[in-house]
């Protein structure tokens, strides 16, 4: 009888072990071997692969780019998502226009990374629409090579990721806004609060749990973004947009250094898990 | 009586199932992973395989098809997990690593057993003296020229030397009209620009990037080519956005009349015709260094074929490989694919071919195929390393000499590791 509850969770546990735990353990094991996969009877080399990874300056560049890309994406996702959610929740905007905007604003979320990469490669091409508009408005006076120049590529990729990811925040925060009791705003109004004070002292505190949850999840997901970066710049020019994900991919599929790739993947996992710790702590506190 | 009838019926059904099972077991199914099927007209490769199955009763072939890059990833993953398909479509750049990994099998014992005449193959790709890949179909990379754009710019003759090419590119360039003389893709996602669009200039003049099988990138011939490409970039004749451009971007810009010349695979000639039926195209061999009179090296890519080391059906796999390289089938395959044959006795049917394909065949016959990346260890990474240094050079961070020296240093390191 005591085993009955365990039987209920057994299928999920088995799936977790097969699809999550086993690959993680396998990658961890590879990272401790010398030339895993490509060498028969690969020898145990302890932490040598981690040392080699730490000694590679491109790894540190990739780490820096990943953190910039992630932090900027999360911050702007939050700001844009909040702004659009407030707009869509505002009674000052005509309900029909709100419905249309709701569809338009959610569009980036519907596209796959490949489609997003194609759209923005065309728009940000030196001969593309963005340069055309900027030049006709005399904002720039030359054809900016957004993805091709090492001074703009990282910002361009980050911008595209911000564009692609804000709807998650928008939808979550809109749901949160609609759940805030009107009594709170009425009470604040009776106390003499102006719109900004209502926003500052009612809206933000009510949305904070949602914002923290979504931001932490977004941080974890964004750190692992691969397809968008790969399809737009391939980690270049030079190493200007190299992320931990593209760095790891190249080690595995271009250099066939699966042990080093595993070490890099484990380091990315540790980075993600440190954020996961805060997420779990926050969820427990709620 | 009813029971007896039922019993008989059951027995008959069981017997039928057993016979069916026996028949099914008699068929050996082999897998053939490749990226060719999507690049050929619908049903074309399946039709050739159907011919094989008809000629070899008892062997069925399951085609596992996907785009080039996805197939590469699938093959690497299959090699790592020991689940590689029996017959493997190969690119020359993958062979060294897959062979050293033990993922693909040396075909010499199979050739010996079948008394296969090796001399009928135009090339056999070897690693450490063992044969791992037959190039089945070769796609050459000539220079495509937009004839109308060239004529409008006053270029009456297809460029045959580097100075002539530079001069033609300059004449065709009009940035105010978004029109440029040449296009150079150096995206790090697919780094084959180093091979097709840069080193091809070296091979065209009979020069080399290797010495005794080892890197020799910092030699004067290569520095000359890098200096030449830098001079084209400095002159503003290359379409902007070089570092993010991929092979398909070249084709788009060319068919849309935004660039006058490009180096591209002949395999996509049909696609160019479809995309812009009004485009007036001509082709030539790659321009050589001034004064060079030897045979022109023609860069190429090939559809290679090999056999998985883990295959439990190597004999059947070899039958398929030998069928595809046989003169008649090889000729049929390359005719459909607009390629040149891997079997020297195969005759592609040029009677209904595009005139440019016929011209390319003449260029092919008067020149020699050249692609020194084929069979090199981590060939794709070598190209990526070179792309990075080229990007630094075009960005003004390095001189051509420094770019060549840095590439040499990285290649030596890669060779030492592999």
């Amino acid at each position: 009888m005591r085993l009955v509850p365990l039987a209920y969770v057994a299928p999920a546990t088995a799936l977790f072990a097969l699809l999550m735990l086993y690959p993680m353990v396998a990658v961890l094991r590879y990272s401790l071997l010398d030339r895993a996969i490509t060498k028969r009877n690969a020898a145990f080399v302890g932490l040598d692969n981690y040392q080699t990874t730490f000694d590679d300056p491109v790894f540190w560049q990739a780490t820096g780019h990943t953190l910039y890309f992630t932090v900027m994406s999360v911050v702007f996702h939050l700001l844009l998502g909040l702004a659009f959610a407030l707009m869509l929740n505002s009674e000052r905007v005509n309900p029909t226009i709100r419905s249309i905007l709701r569809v338009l604003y959610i569009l980036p979320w519907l596209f796959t990374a490949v489609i997003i990469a194609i759209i923005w490669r065309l728009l940000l091409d030196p001969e593309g629409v963005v340069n055309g508009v900027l030049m006709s408005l005399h904002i720039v006076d030359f054809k900016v090579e957004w993805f091709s120049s090492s001074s703009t590529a990282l910002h361009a990729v980050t911008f595209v990721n911000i564009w692609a990811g804000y709807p998650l925040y928008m939808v979550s925060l809109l749901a949160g806004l609609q759940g805030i009791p009107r009594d709170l705003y009425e009470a604040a109004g009776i106390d003499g609060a102006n719109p900004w004070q209502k926003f500052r002292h009612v809206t933000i505190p009510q949305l904070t749990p949602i914002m923290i949850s979504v931001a932490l999840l977004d941080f974890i997901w964004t750190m692992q973004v691969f397809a968008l970066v790969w399809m737009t710049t391939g980690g270049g020019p030079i190493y200007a947009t190299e992320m931990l994900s593209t760095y790891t991919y190249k080690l595995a599929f271009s250099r066939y250094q699966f042990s080093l790739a595993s070490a890099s993947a484990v380091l990315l996992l540790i980075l993600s898990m440190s954020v996961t710790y805060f997420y779990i702590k926050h969820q427990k506190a709620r | 009586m009813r029971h007896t009838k039922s019993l008989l019926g059951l027995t008959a059904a069981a017997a039928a199932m057993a016979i069916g099972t026996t028949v099914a077991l008699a068929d050996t199914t082999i897998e053939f992973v490749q990226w060719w099927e999507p690049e050929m007209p619908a049903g074309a490769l399946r039709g050739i395989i159907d011919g094989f199955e008809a000629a070899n009763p008892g062997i069925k072939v399951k085609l596992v098809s996907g785009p080039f890059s996805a197939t590469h990833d699938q093959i690497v993953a299959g090699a790592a997990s020991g689940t590689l398909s029996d017959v493997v479509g190969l690119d020359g750049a993958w062979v060294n690593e897959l062979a050293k990994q033990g993922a693909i099998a040396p075909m010499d014992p199979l050739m010996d057993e079948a008394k296969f005449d090796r001399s009928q193959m135009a090339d056999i790709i070897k690693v450490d003296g063992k044969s791992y890949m037959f190039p089945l179909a070769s796609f050459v990379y000539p220079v495509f020229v937009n004839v109308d754009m060239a004529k409008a710019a006053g270029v009456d003759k297809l460029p045959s030397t580097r100075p002539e090419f530079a001069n033609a590119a300059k004449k065709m360039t009009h940035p105010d009209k978004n029109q440029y003389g040449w296009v150079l893709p150096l995206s790090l996602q697919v780094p084959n620009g180093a091979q097709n669009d840069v080193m091809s200039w070296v091979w065209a003049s009979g020069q080399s990037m290797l010495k005794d099988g080892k890197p020799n990138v910092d030699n004067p011939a290569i520095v000359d080519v890098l200096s030449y490409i830098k001079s084209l970039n400095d002159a503003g004749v290359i379409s902007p956005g070089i570092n993010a451009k991929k092979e398909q971007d070249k084709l788009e810009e060319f068919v849309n009349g935004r660039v006058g010349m490009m180096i591209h695979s002949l395999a996509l000639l049909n696609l160019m015709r479809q995309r812009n039926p009004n485009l007036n195209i001509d082709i030539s061999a790659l321009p050589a260094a001034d004064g060079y009179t030897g045979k022109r090296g023609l860069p190429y890519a090939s559809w290679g074929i090999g056999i998985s080391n883990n295959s439990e059906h190597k004999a059947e796999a070899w039958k398929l490989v030998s069928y595809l390289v046989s003169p008649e089938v090889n000729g049929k395959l390359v005719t459909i694919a607009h390629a040149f044959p891997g079997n020297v006795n195969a005759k592609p049917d040029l009677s209904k071919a595009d005139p440019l394909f016929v011209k390319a065949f003449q260029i092919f016959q008067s020149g020699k195929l050249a692609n020194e990346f084929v069979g090199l260890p981590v060939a794709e990474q070598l190209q990526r390393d070179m792309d990075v240094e080229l990007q630094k050079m075009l960005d003004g961070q390095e001189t051509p000499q420094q770019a060549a020296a840095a590439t040499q240093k990285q290649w030596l390191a890669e060779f030492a590791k592999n």
Side-chain angles (χ1 to χ4, degrees):
Chain A
M1 202 58 189
R2 278 182 181 175
L3 295 176
V4 172
L6 291 177
Y8 280 120
V9 296
T13 310
L15 276 177
F16 171 76
L18 190 72
L19 301 175
M20 299 286 289
L21 209 55
Y22 172 72
M24 278 162 64
V25 171
V27 167
L28 188 62
R29 186 175 149 265
Y30 289 158
S31 73
L32 303 172
L33 300 175
D34 173 35
R35 305 215 66 170
I37 297 174
T38 55
K39 194 173 165 187
R40 288 181 196 278
N41 306 318
F44 178 79
V45 290
L47 297 176
D48 282 7
N49 291 316
Y50 291 91
Q51 187 61 50
T52 309
T53 307
F54 288 141
D55 289 344
D56 184 357
V58 180
F59 169 77
W60 292 109
Q61 270 182 281
T63 307
H65 295 154
T66 305
L67 288 175
Y68 171 85
F69 178 77
T70 306
V71 170
M72 294 298 278
S73 294
V74 170
V75 168
F76 280 95
H77 280 162
L78 180 60
L79 293 176
L80 280 177
L82 181 60
F84 288 142
L86 287 169
M87 190 191 289
L88 294 178
N89 196 49
S90 171
E91 287 169 3
R92 293 181 189 177
V93 181
N94 180 295
T96 314
I97 294 174
R98 259 191 288 169
S99 301
I100 295 167
L101 288 178
R102 199 176 292 213
V103 173
L104 286 179
Y105 287 159
I106 210 162
L107 273 179
W109 212 13
L110 306 181
F111 297 130
T112 62
V114 177
I115 302 294
I116 292 167
I118 292 171
I119 291 172
W120 281 99
R121 270 172 55 83
L122 289 170
L123 289 170
L124 293 178
D125 187 271
E127 314 284 356
V129 175
V130 171
N131 272 349
V133 171
L134 292 177
M135 286 175 83
S136 63
L137 295 173
H138 301 289
I139 294 171
V140 294
D141 57 0
F142 65 100
K143 291 169 186 169
V144 184
E145 299 183 14
W146 297 102
F147 287 129
S148 183
S149 161
S150 46
S151 58
T152 53
L154 182 59
H155 308 301
V157 173
T158 308
F159 172 82
V160 175
N161 191 59
I162 290 168
W163 179 85
Y166 75 81
L168 167 71
Y169 285 76
M170 188 186 77
V171 171
S172 308
L173 295 176
L174 184 59
L177 282 171
Q178 289 169 348
I180 299 175
R182 298 187 67 83
D183 311 3
L184 295 176
Y185 290 107
E186 285 168 13
I190 291 165
D191 288 345
N194 61 29
W196 165 249
Q197 286 168 324
K198 285 181 189 171
F199 175 73
R200 169 76 183 80
H201 297 289
V202 178
T203 309
I204 292 294
Q206 289 292 312
L207 291 180
T208 300
I210 299 173
M211 288 196 284
I212 292 176
S213 297
V214 180
L216 286 172
L217 282 175
D218 189 29
F219 199 94
I220 296 165
W221 292 332
T222 308
M223 245 186 325
Q224 297 163 8
V225 164
F226 170 76
L228 184 66
V229 181
W230 190 244
M231 296 289 297
T232 48
T233 62
I238 311 172
Y239 300 111
T241 60
E242 195 77 284
M243 307 283 170
L244 285 173
S245 57
T246 54
Y247 175 78
T248 306
Y249 177 86
K250 285 175 188 172
L251 281 174
F253 288 92
S254 184
R255 284 200 155 96
Y256 302 102
Q257 299 274 3
F258 290 96
S259 289
L260 288 176
S262 300
S264 169
V266 169
L267 291 170
L268 181 58
L269 177 73
I270 291 168
L271 211 59
S272 302
M273 280 176 74
S274 60
V275 182
T276 310
Y277 168 76
F278 289 110
Y279 176 73
I280 292 168
K281 207 172 162 189
H282 172 256
Q283 291 298 90
K284 274 188 179 169
R286 287 181 71 193
Chain B
M1 192 63 187
R2 264 174 83 185
H3 285 292
T4 315
K5 271 188 180 172
S6 304
L7 208 62
L8 276 172
L10 275 172
T11 312
M17 276 178 69
I19 290 165
T21 311
T22 313
V23 169
L25 281 175
D27 277 344
T28 301
T29 300
I30 54 173
E31 263 188 15
F32 178 18
V33 63
Q34 36 61 48
W35 66 96
W36 316 341
E37 193 178 26
E39 295 189 8
M40 292 172 81
L45 185 61
R46 188 66 249 177
I48 289 172
I49 297 298
D50 287 346
F52 169 76
E53 288 179 350
N56 294 274
I59 306 178
K60 297 280 175 212
V61 180
K62 183 183 170 195
L63 291 176
V64 181
S65 308
F68 178 81
S69 56
T71 303
H72 175 224
D73 290 354
Q74 193 175 352
I75 288 171
V76 172
S81 59
T83 56
L84 195 56
S85 297
D86 303 273
V87 180
V88 191
L90 293 169
D91 182 274
W94 312 339
V95 176
N96 189 292
E97 207 56 41
L98 291 171
K100 285 191 174 155
Q101 199 178 327
I104 50 175
M107 292 191 284
D108 305 273
L110 297 161
M111 285 192 267
D112 292 339
E113 197 181 325
K115 295 189 172 55
F116 182 80
D117 176 13
R118 288 169 167 81
S119 67
Q120 65 183 305
M121 297 308 299
D123 198 7
I124 298 175
I125 306 306
K126 296 182 177 179
V127 176
D128 297 333
K130 293 177 184 166
S131 312
Y132 287 95
M133 177 184 122
F134 290 144
L136 199 64
S138 297
F139 300 90
V140 294
Y141 279 68
V143 174
F144 286 79
V145 179
N146 180 330
V147 176
D148 292 336
M149 197 189 286
K151 278 185 182 162
V155 179
D156 300 322
K157 179 177 161 279
L158 294 180
S160 141
T161 63
R162 288 179 198 167
E164 284 175 13
F165 183 89
N167 194 33
K170 278 174 199 161
K171 285 183 175 171
M172 288 189 220
T173 298
H174 298 285
D176 50 321
K177 295 189 216 166
N178 292 342
Q179 187 180 307
Y180 296 87
W182 189 43
V183 57
L184 172 65
L186 290 183
S187 164
L188 296 183
Q189 188 199 346
V190 186
N192 59 9
Q195 171 186 281
N196 301 330
D197 302 83
V198 177
M199 293 314 293
S200 51
W201 293 90
V202 175
W203 303 325
S205 303
Q207 296 154 337
S208 173
M209 61 181 205
L210 301 173
K211 191 175 179 186
D212 302 324
K214 300 284 179 205
N216 184 29
V217 190
D218 50 355
N219 75 64
I222 292 181
V223 174
D224 267 0
V225 166
L226 300 191
S227 304
Y228 176 71
I229 287 172
K230 187 174 183 316
S231 73
L232 292 177
N233 187 54
D234 292 346
V237 304
I238 307 177
S239 163
I242 295 169
N243 298 336
K245 275 202 169 71
K246 301 182 228 180
E247 197 158 42
Q248 60 264 41
D249 297 319
K250 279 197 294 191
L251 190 126
E252 286 302 323
E253 295 199 0
F254 183 76
V255 297
N256 289 315
R258 294 207 295 273
V259 295
M261 295 181 286
M262 69 164 179
I263 301 166
H264 207 288
S265 168
L266 194 67
L268 297 184
L269 179 60
N270 277 356
L271 185 65
M272 290 178 214
R273 299 278 195 216
Q274 283 167 18
R275 296 298 298 271
N276 187 352
N278 300 320
L279 195 65
N280 188 1
I281 314 172
D282 203 349
I283 56 168
S284 71
L286 240 82
D290 221 6
Y292 176 74
T293 53
K295 273 196 168 189
R296 294 290 169 99
L298 267 180
Y300 75 101
S302 55
W303 288 354
I305 193 164
I307 293 174
S308 164
N309 215 5
N310 274 344
S311 171
E312 291 173 0
H313 307 291
K314 284 198 181 71
E316 289 82 358
W318 167 253
K319 278 188 179 174
L320 177 60
V321 172
S322 54
Y323 177 81
L324 291 174
V325 299
S326 64
E328 190 191 335
V329 178
N330 195 221
K332 188 175 165 189
L333 187 132
V334 296
T335 302
I336 299 169
H338 291 293
F340 298 132
N343 188 314
V344 293
N345 302 321
K347 297 273 182 283
D349 179 8
L350 301 178
S351 60
K352 293 175 196 160
D354 188 306
L356 279 189
F357 186 72
V358 179
K359 185 174 179 186
F361 195 58
Q362 288 159 359
I363 296 171
F364 167 71
Q365 284 177 317
S366 61
K368 59 177 181 186
L369 292 178
N371 184 345
E372 291 187 297
F373 283 100
V374 171
L376 291 190
V378 290
E380 188 182 310
Q381 185 57 36
L382 299 180
Q383 293 171 28
R384 191 169 276 124
D385 290 341
M386 179 174 258
D387 270 358
V388 168
E389 300 309 323
L390 288 165
Q391 290 180 349
K392 286 182 185 171
M393 180 188 79
L394 297 178
D395 201 33
Q397 297 178 30
E398 286 180 349
T399 63
Q401 287 82 357
Q402 287 169 331
T407 307
Q408 169 77 0
K409 192 177 163 195
Q410 291 191 52
W411 283 20
L412 284 174
E414 295 289 356
F415 270 62
K417 277 187 252 171
N418 294 284

